[in-house]
């Protein structure tokens, strides 16, 4: 455990710099002019997973923005967790309400301010870096798969089809959703229920 904590501690600044790199990409799924940014964000995620130690990571096409899929299978007989996150963000408007530019991360009062820092690049990155730390310290106890989509903020129109077409690839014992909050900064929280979208 100490080795793991040391790794996290010793690489903290690099982790932050890498997260800032992702936050600087304006991957706004609701605006078609950001199409190239969507691909850039997906490629950034792919490279992050590969550098973290995934056996493979790739952009998989959908009818809309690609899904980033990555995995590390240490032993097929061990349990597998599937981590879900999304690389798209909400539009930053109204811009005049921002105290700092939405795609230039700024730390204020110990918190990172940028569009997507909280939803959902920060949470997804936290799991990617926990994965990296366990891979690099040889403490990963299970198989891990990542499915990072790029259309969550527009209602995930391609995700159900993607899941149906890739049931074997996505097979897992547990799914972790990297898209929720914590009650407080020092209280790890497991969210057991969420509101959905209902269009009448
Ligand atoms: Zn989200």
């Amino acid at each position: 455990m100490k080795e793991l904590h040391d790794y996290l501690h010793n690489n903290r600044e690099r982790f932050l710099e890498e997260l800032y790199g992702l936050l600087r990409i304006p991957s706004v799924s609701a605006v078609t002019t950001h199409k190239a940014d969507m691909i850039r964000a997906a490629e950034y995620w792919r490279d992050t997973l590969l550098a973290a130690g995934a056996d493979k990571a790739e952009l998989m096409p959908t009818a809309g923005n690609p899904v980033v899929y990555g995995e590390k299978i240490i032993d097929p007989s061990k349990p597998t967790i599937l981590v879900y996150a999304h690389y798209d963000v909400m539009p930053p408007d109204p811009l005049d309400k921002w105290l700092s530019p939405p795609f230039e991360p700024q730390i204020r009062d110990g918190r990172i301010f940028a569009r997507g820092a909280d939803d959902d690049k920060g949470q997804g990155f936290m799991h990617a870096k926990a994965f990296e730390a366990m891979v690099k310290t040889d403490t990963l106890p299970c198989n891990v798969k990542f499915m990072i989509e790029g259309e969550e903020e527009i209602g995930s129109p391609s995700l159900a089809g993607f899941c149906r077409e890739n049931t074997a690839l996505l097979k897992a014992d547990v799914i972790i959703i990297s898209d929720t909050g914590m009650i407080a900064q020092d209280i790890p929280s497991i969210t057991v229920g969420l509101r959905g979208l209902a269009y009448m």
Side-chain angles (χ1 to χ4, degrees), residues 86 119-120 152-153 178-179:
H86 62 88
D119 180 12
D120 174 36
E152 197 274 346
E153 302 293 9
S178 299
D179 197 14

Side-chain angles (χ1 to χ4, degrees), residues 31-140:
V31 184
T32 51
T33 51
H34 283 289
K35 207 73 192 164
D37 296 316
M38 306 312 296
I39 302 299
R40 269 210 298 148
E43 289 175 343
Y44 197 99
W45 253 112
R46 174 200 63 199
D47 296 345
T48 295
L49 294 177
L50 287 173
D55 300 328
K56 66 169 184 177
E58 58 189 330
L59 274 58
M60 296 182 67
T62 73
N65 295 322
V67 169
V68 183
Y69 175 80
E71 67 175 30
K72 186 164 189 73
I73 308 298
I74 57 165
D75 180 349
S77 69
K78 292 196 164 156
T80 299
I81 67 159
L82 173 67
V83 177
Y84 164 88
H86 62 88
Y87 61 84
D88 62 324
V89 298
M90 290 291 280
D93 317 87
L95 287 172
D96 61 359
K97 301 283 186 200
W98 287 81
L99 299 181
S100 54
F103 297 106
E104 187 45 57
Q106 192 182 81
I107 303 225
R108 297 198 298 271
D109 303 326
R111 294 168 188 268
I112 303 168
F113 286 83
R115 174 56 94 219
D118 182 50
D119 180 12
D120 174 36
K121 291 170 174 174
Q123 297 101 310
F125 225 70
M126 177 185 71
H127 283 126
K129 291 305 170 188
F131 168 71
E132 177 188 317
M134 284 190 278
V135 171
K136 303 294 183 186
T137 57
D138 212 16
T139 54
L140 188 67

Side-chain angles (χ1 to χ4, degrees), residues 8 16 23 26 35 42 58 79 124 134 145 159 165 176 179 197:
L8 293 169
L16 283 171
L23 293 173
K35 207 73 192 164
E58 58 189 330
M134 284 190 278
K145 297 177 175 180
L159 193 65
E165 286 164 18
I176 294 179
D179 197 14
L197 294 170

